[in-house]
Amino acid sequence: HQPFQIIVRYTTADGPAIWWLDPELTYGNAKPFVFTQGHSVCNRSFFPCFDTPAVKCTYSATVKAPAGIQVLMSATQSSYLEEEGVYQFYMEYPVPAYLVALVAGDLIHADIGPRSRVWAEPCLLPTAISKLSGIVERWLTAAESLYGPYIWGRYDIVFLPPSFPIVAMENPCLTFIISSILESDEFLIIDVIHEVAHSWFGNAVTNATWEEMWLSEGLATYAQRRITTETYGAAFTCLETAFRLDALHRQMKLLGEDNPVSKLQVKLEPGVNPSNLMNLFTYEKGYCFVYYLSQLCGDPRHFDSFLRAYIEKYKFTSVVAQDLLDSFLNFFPELKEQCVESKAGLEFERWLNATGPPLAEPDLSQGSSLTRPVETLFKLWTTEPLDSVAAASSVDLTKWRTFQTVLFLDRLLDGSPLPHEVIKKLSECYSSQLDSMNAEIRIRWLQIVVRNDYYPDLYKVRRFLENQMSRMYTIPLYEDLCTGTLKSFALEIFYQTQNQLHPNLRKTIQQILSQGLNPLPAIDTTAVTTDTPAMVLEDKVSEATNGAISLRDVNVSA
């Protein structure tokens, strides 16, 4: 019963957790870059660990780096011995293995609040400051008012090169975010607030098993929307929710209502990467269940009080769904007396284990001032005969919010291919407006162009792909190009741009291009060894290719 120490001396080869970038794959093209991505079971290739969310521990790390390379980790304390080039890190609170993260490169920082700073490559830092200065503290304060003190000390953000395989990762004290999202203000807001929410739901209290990821993602999504409601109003929150629920129903159509991955409690078979189970059900069906629980209380502020008590009881531990639901019923004994857990058609057990869509969805009527114009414009363009072009063309999309525009374009995408007359008129009305908008909007318009074989705008697809190095903005377009008649066009662009893509992304695009073709000519992928396990999202991509689910439909913000 005495404490003892075990020392394991080890080396690690290239593995799925560690991403090495040559200078050419960074924005500054000046210095090499490395980052880790541990979610969900990749950190076992980074260091020896109990790679399960059920086990939490503190950690310390010593990192030696060349002069001029800044090293950061997801730790509460750090120091630097300049003469030795050695960084020391210590995380004083217990965390699961997947939340240990490291990044190193040409990074500089600026303070954007009393407990927050932003890190980025020098050429990106001014943009990051202008987007986030002052408002991160506003989000943290709103979250604390809802769910209790922020326990991690600092909340810093580091913007990573476009090779980062997901949108964002909630590493404690140091959120990782892909730099590509900087140009899309509303997506940036939602992504950062979602990661802020994880400081309570996911990091402080963690799902004990990957079969119940909704305990982190569903609760974090609910908390994110409570924070956005407090800071930006209910209408904006309802608009963003409508956009995500649209995507959920799109994924449901593609997967089928009986697909077991649509359960909140998914069965994890031996040998399956838990990341394959991450989908919009984890987030949005989980959110709908949490929202339903909040409605049982009658007032969301009463539910906020429960979540504060839940965090206080379980912080720094890992839980299962029954822990949450038992705590809920004990906190509200009147609901327990009413047997709300057994309400016909809405049983808690059915929420957790039934396939298909959520059993109930939130009332989004408070967002009608923002969603109604989208619905009206969509009907104008899709009601035959097309005699409302004048009314439709008078709508100025530059005055809309980003989430309005992407909701409109996603619905046009769902209806594609459209009649040639419609796509021609759409291009005449909106193409030039959309050219000046952010990448989240432009990629959707370009997918419409591709799915409708609209050749006059194909040059814009080429131009977009020539300037994108991010998985989130390349894979969906390549998938669409290869599904239709434009595979040779896709091959041509790929051969021109492959050297600017990370080897893992290059390999994924090769797989997409190879569908139904003879093997592609050999391409240099020396940075990806043949025994390297698939990266977290490569499994998603192969599923997407085979099942026609594009990353547009599974835009993962961890």
Side-chain angles (χ1 to χ4, degrees):
H1 299 293
Q2 295 301 310
F4 60 94
Q5 182 181 64
I6 297 175
I7 297 176
V8 180
R9 303 194 184 279
Y10 74 101
T11 58
T12 180
D14 284 343
I18 308 168
W19 292 60
W20 301 95
L21 309 185
D22 292 330
E24 296 75 24
L25 294 178
T26 68
Y27 281 103
N29 297 314
K31 298 176 183 178
F33 202 97
V34 63
F35 62 83
T36 65
Q37 171 57 19
H39 194 284
S40 52
V41 291
C42 292
N43 266 352
R44 61 190 64 182
S45 69
F46 181 22
F47 57 92
C49 58
F50 297 100
D51 203 359
T52 163
V55 175
K56 292 186 171 185
C57 64
T58 60
Y59 81 85
S60 61
T62 302
V63 183
K64 188 168 185 177
I69 296 293
Q70 175 69 52
V71 181
L72 306 170
M73 290 193 75
S74 54
T76 50
Q77 299 174 30
S78 64
S79 61
Y80 177 51
L81 299 173
E82 185 172 1
E83 62 276 10
E84 299 176 22
V86 169
Y87 292 83
Q88 301 275 1
F89 299 97
Y90 178 54
M91 167 53 80
E92 62 191 282
Y93 303 117
V95 295
Y98 76 89
L99 290 178
V100 178
L102 176 145
V103 59
D106 187 14
L107 295 167
I108 59 175
H109 75 271
D111 290 337
I112 54 170
R115 49 185 161 171
S116 299
R117 63 180 41 154
V118 64
W119 291 87
E121 293 183 63
C123 59
L124 288 177
L125 188 64
T127 302
I129 295 169
S130 68
K131 302 278 186 177
L132 293 173
S133 185
I135 62 172
V136 172
E137 182 60 28
R138 183 181 171 198
W139 300 335
L140 286 168
T141 301
E144 288 182 312
S145 71
L146 295 169
Y147 305 121
Y150 177 75
I151 58 180
W152 302 98
R154 296 196 60 79
Y155 184 85
D156 294 341
I157 298 169
V158 57
F159 284 97
L160 275 69
S163 300
F164 189 52
I166 58 175
V167 179
M169 183 63 207
E170 67 272 18
N171 302 310
C173 308
L174 185 67
T175 287
F176 283 19
I177 297 190
I178 193 168
S179 299
S180 313
I181 208 73
L182 272 170
E183 67 171 276
S184 306
D185 287 2
E186 290 180 23
F187 279 82
L188 176 66
I189 288 169
I190 293 301
D191 289 331
V192 177
I193 292 178
H194 184 83
E195 307 312 316
V196 166
H198 268 308
S199 302
W200 286 262
F201 305 101
N203 294 5
V205 182
T206 308
N207 46 283
T209 166
W210 292 121
E211 294 178 331
E212 294 187 325
M213 274 190 272
W214 74 272
L215 281 170
S216 289
E217 297 301 347
L219 280 161
T221 302
Y222 177 85
Q224 161 212 311
R225 289 177 180 150
R226 287 288 291 128
I227 297 166
T228 57
T229 299
E230 292 294 311
T231 51
Y232 296 101
F236 174 72
T237 301
C238 288
L239 171 64
E240 184 266 335
T241 306
F243 164 70
R244 301 293 185 190
L245 289 178
D246 248 32
L248 176 70
H249 289 291
R250 185 178 307 116
Q251 192 172 91
M252 175 65 67
K253 282 182 185 177
L254 294 166
L255 292 173
E257 292 200 5
D258 295 330
N259 196 305
V261 302
S262 64
K263 295 181 180 182
L264 289 184
Q265 286 186 329
V266 187
K267 180 65 177 172
L268 185 59
E269 300 296 337
V272 173
N273 186 339
S275 292
N276 292 352
L277 303 180
M278 283 193 77
N279 52 49
L280 286 171
F281 298 97
T282 311
Y283 294 79
E284 298 303 334
K285 189 174 182 179
Y287 159 75
C288 287
F289 184 28
V290 177
Y291 181 87
Y292 170 69
L293 295 177
S294 76
Q295 293 300 292
L296 291 175
C297 305
D299 185 334
R301 289 172 295 185
H302 295 160
F303 192 64
D304 295 336
S305 298
F306 158 67
L307 289 177
R308 277 197 299 273
Y310 166 77
I311 291 292
E312 185 58 35
K313 179 178 181 180
Y314 290 111
K315 67 182 177 184
F316 306 132
T317 68
S318 300
V319 299
V320 295
Q322 203 58 50
D323 295 322
L324 171 71
L325 298 176
D326 287 346
S327 296
F328 174 76
L329 293 173
N330 290 334
F331 194 86
F332 297 105
E334 68 281 10
L335 296 179
K336 190 173 185 179
E337 289 175 12
Q338 296 168 26
C339 299
V340 294
E341 73 276 16
S342 304
K343 186 175 180 181
L346 292 165
E347 299 90 345
F348 289 181
E349 181 65 22
R350 189 174 174 193
W351 269 105
L352 295 175
N353 289 302
T355 60
L359 303 182
E361 292 188 9
D363 175 11
L364 302 179
S365 58
Q366 287 182 286
S368 61
S369 62
L370 296 173
T371 56
R372 195 181 299 115
V374 176
E375 293 160 1
T376 301
L377 185 61
F378 177 70
K379 285 178 184 174
L380 287 174
W381 281 107
T382 54
T383 302
E384 294 184 1
L386 190 64
D387 51 12
S388 306
V389 172
S393 61
S394 66
V395 175
D396 184 358
L397 296 184
T398 62
K399 302 284 176 54
W400 276 17
R401 304 199 73 134
T402 289
F403 279 117
Q404 289 177 292
T405 307
V406 296
L407 184 59
F408 170 62
L409 294 175
D410 274 351
R411 290 183 178 179
L412 289 176
L413 264 172
D414 290 340
S416 293
L418 301 162
H420 181 74
E421 179 192 4
V422 173
I423 188 69
K424 184 172 180 288
K425 293 290 186 183
L426 279 166
S427 179
E428 290 171 1
C429 290
Y430 302 134
S431 187
S432 59
Q433 289 183 38
L434 298 171
D435 282 347
S436 61
M437 296 186 188
N438 63 61
E440 289 288 341
I441 292 173
R442 295 201 315 278
I443 189 174
R444 285 167 168 83
W445 169 246
L446 296 176
Q447 285 184 278
I448 292 171
V449 166
V450 170
R451 291 189 191 183
N452 288 275
D453 293 332
Y454 188 64
Y455 290 94
D457 277 3
L458 270 186
Y459 75 96
K460 296 181 180 181
V461 176
R462 177 191 295 274
R463 188 169 63 198
F464 185 84
L465 287 174
E466 286 173 347
N467 291 285
Q468 288 294 337
M469 298 184 287
S470 167
R471 178 179 293 269
M472 59 196 277
Y473 295 136
T474 53
I475 296 295
L477 273 173
Y478 276 107
E479 286 175 341
D480 283 345
L481 286 166
C482 292
T483 301
T485 61
L486 297 167
K487 183 170 284 189
S488 60
F489 178 69
L491 277 165
E492 181 185 334
I493 297 171
F494 174 68
Y495 284 133
Q496 290 174 354
T497 61
Q498 58 175 304
N499 290 334
Q500 71 190 42
L501 305 175
H502 188 277
N504 294 316
L505 177 55
R506 204 183 309 158
K507 183 180 177 185
T508 301
I509 295 174
Q510 280 182 270
Q511 292 169 349
I512 294 170
L513 293 168
S514 297
Q515 299 280 321
L517 286 180
N518 293 326
L520 290 176
I523 296 173
D524 178 20
T525 55
T526 52
V528 182
T529 59
T530 54
D531 58 351
T532 300
M535 291 297 163
V536 173
L537 283 187
E538 292 218 0
D539 290 331
K540 294 181 187 298
V541 173
S542 61
E543 287 176 8
T545 307
N546 297 330
I549 304 168
S550 77
L551 286 189
R552 176 178 63 81
D553 305 318
V554 196
N555 192 9
V556 176
S557 172

